[in-house]
Amino acid sequence: MFVDEVEIRVAAGNGGRGCIAFRREKFVPRGGPSGGDGGNGGSVYFAASPHLNTLVSFRFHPEFKAERGQHGMGSNMHGHNGKHLVIKVPIGTVVYEMPEEGGEPVQIADLVEPGKKVRIAAGGQGGRGNARFASATNRAPRRADPGIPGEARRLRLQLKLLADVGLVGFPNAGKSTLISRISAAKPKIADYPFTTLTPNLGVVALSDDRSFVVADVPGLIEGAHRGLGLGHQFLRHLERTRLLVHLIDVSGQSGRDPVEDFTTIRRELELYRPELAEKPAIAAANKMDAAVDTKLVRKLEKHLKGLGIPLHRISAVTGDGVSSLVEAMWSRLSVVETGE
């Protein structure tokens, strides 16, 4: 099960109490204070792990707490510190703190690098024992500090997939078929809308050890930015991509106009987040093997030319034009990376 957003609670360990104790030893008639300090509570850390790709485990285990510090003891023995709690999350996880009194979540961490570790909640400091308060005027203090509570936070975790290229388009435009042809990904493919219910990642391998990662985002429809359809749940996964590939059905079987399809998808991206629509993009006229009206393709090409977006004619089913599309993706990514 793919889960890319959850809410959890984390609590760092409390500091241990300081101890009030006095020495009772043979041949030491006056004794003295001997209460040790309490140990510090364990902190909570998040660590980005390449071995995870979903937040599903957090849905069934939403509460996390680090170990508290041990209380201080007599004979000037300090309590041991609580163990830190390291929680592994998928690479690309964004951590938001949820205000207790309401309001907008505040981003506190973005784990985009493998192995990156961030402290989310600090453990409480241990209290001082009475030996710490001894002085020339107070030789038998009966005072000790309580431990300081550890930080507790309510968090929202959002997973944003890390991909170089994002495939976007209407449902049943052929995105899953394309990603299965150009990579080893095996998404569900069927002849009905909303076949893809979760994003799919695939690694595209080219000659000369070239490769890049493609994400197949579930089909968008008009109103996706407002929560219609399924794609709105996964639009955030496009935020990290460097290139968008608009896959457009030109077979005519859908009864829609390809230009209107492209315009609708681009508008939904812009309404969700304006910078998405401004990302570098190329377009692919898919299902050319079934196209019955080439005028629609020419009309689409003319429209895209005015926007400076190249159009590639392909058939994801037969493979025609796919290799040139993949090379175009690589070339555009190279340009984006160099900033030319």
Side-chain angles (χ1 to χ4, degrees):
M1 181 167 57
F2 182 85
V3 175
D4 63 352
E5 185 173 26
V6 293
E7 288 191 11
I8 66 172
R9 287 184 177 271
V10 298
N14 297 332
R17 296 190 305 267
C19 176
I20 298 177
F22 295 91
R23 297 170 64 187
R24 296 288 187 269
E25 299 179 31
K26 193 175 183 180
F27 308 118
V28 186
R30 293 185 182 275
S34 64
D37 298 342
N40 297 328
S43 297
V44 178
Y45 291 84
F46 281 170
S49 171
H51 305 296
L52 300 175
N53 57 14
T54 176
L55 298 172
V56 64
S57 61
F58 295 95
R59 175 166 290 183
F60 305 105
H61 184 195
E63 302 280 344
F64 296 86
K65 189 172 184 179
E67 187 178 70
R68 70 168 179 84
Q70 187 180 26
H71 301 315
M73 295 168 283
S75 301
N76 288 312
M77 290 192 297
H78 298 326
H80 66 70
N81 296 331
K83 293 182 180 179
H84 296 314
L85 176 62
V86 180
I87 304 172
K88 294 182 178 180
V89 296
I91 299 172
T93 299
V94 185
V95 185
Y96 297 90
E97 183 171 14
M98 305 292 290
E100 293 295 340
E101 60 280 354
E104 291 297 319
V106 179
Q107 181 176 325
I108 58 176
D110 190 358
L111 294 97
V112 296
E113 301 172 3
K116 183 176 181 180
K117 190 176 177 182
V118 178
R119 189 174 72 176
I120 297 299
Q125 187 175 359
R128 295 174 294 176
N130 70 331
R132 290 289 197 96
F133 297 97
S135 67
T137 58
N138 186 13
R139 297 187 179 184
R142 294 182 177 275
R143 171 190 169 186
D145 290 339
I148 297 176
E151 292 181 333
R153 287 180 163 179
R154 186 163 64 100
L155 305 174
R156 175 180 294 169
L157 307 184
Q158 283 188 351
L159 175 59
K160 297 180 182 180
L161 296 180
L162 298 176
D164 300 300
V165 177
L167 300 181
V168 295
F170 266 77
N172 214 32
K175 299 184 297 299
S176 297
T177 304
L178 179 60
I179 197 173
S180 68
R181 178 169 285 277
I182 64 179
S183 73
K186 300 299 180 185
K188 181 180 179 181
I189 300 173
D191 189 21
Y192 55 82
F194 299 114
T195 308
T196 302
L197 301 179
T198 62
N200 295 293
L201 285 180
V203 178
V204 180
L206 302 175
S207 58
D208 301 325
D209 294 326
R210 297 174 299 159
S211 65
F212 58 90
V213 180
V214 177
D216 162 26
V217 178
L220 304 177
I221 62 173
E222 187 172 4
H225 72 283
R226 293 186 282 106
L228 299 182
L230 294 173
H232 71 286
Q233 302 176 21
F234 309 109
L235 279 169
R236 72 175 70 94
H237 296 296
L238 297 174
E239 295 177 21
R240 300 193 194 275
T241 59
R242 296 185 291 150
L243 174 68
L244 296 181
V245 175
H246 291 262
L247 208 61
I248 306 163
D249 182 357
V250 296
S251 66
Q253 297 175 358
S254 65
R256 299 189 306 267
D257 181 80
V259 173
E260 291 182 2
D261 280 5
F262 171 82
T263 303
T264 298
I265 295 300
R266 201 175 192 201
R267 183 170 58 249
E268 291 303 318
L269 296 176
E270 185 175 9
L271 290 173
Y272 175 75
R273 187 156 295 192
E275 52 267 31
L276 278 183
E278 298 174 1
K279 283 182 178 289
I282 59 179
N286 191 29
K287 303 185 182 181
M288 285 296 299
D289 57 308
V292 295
D293 188 355
T294 56
K295 292 181 180 179
L296 293 177
V297 182
R298 292 197 295 270
K299 178 183 175 184
L300 175 63
E301 187 172 32
K302 182 179 179 181
H303 177 74
L304 294 175
K305 186 176 181 180
L307 298 173
I309 299 177
L311 178 68
H312 296 263
R313 293 174 169 85
I314 70 166
S315 171
V317 172
T318 65
D320 291 342
V322 171
S323 58
S324 62
L325 174 63
V326 171
E327 287 292 342
M329 293 181 192
W330 173 261
S331 299
R332 193 61 185 272
L333 285 173
S334 301
V335 172
V336 173
E337 186 173 356
T338 58
E340 297 179 358

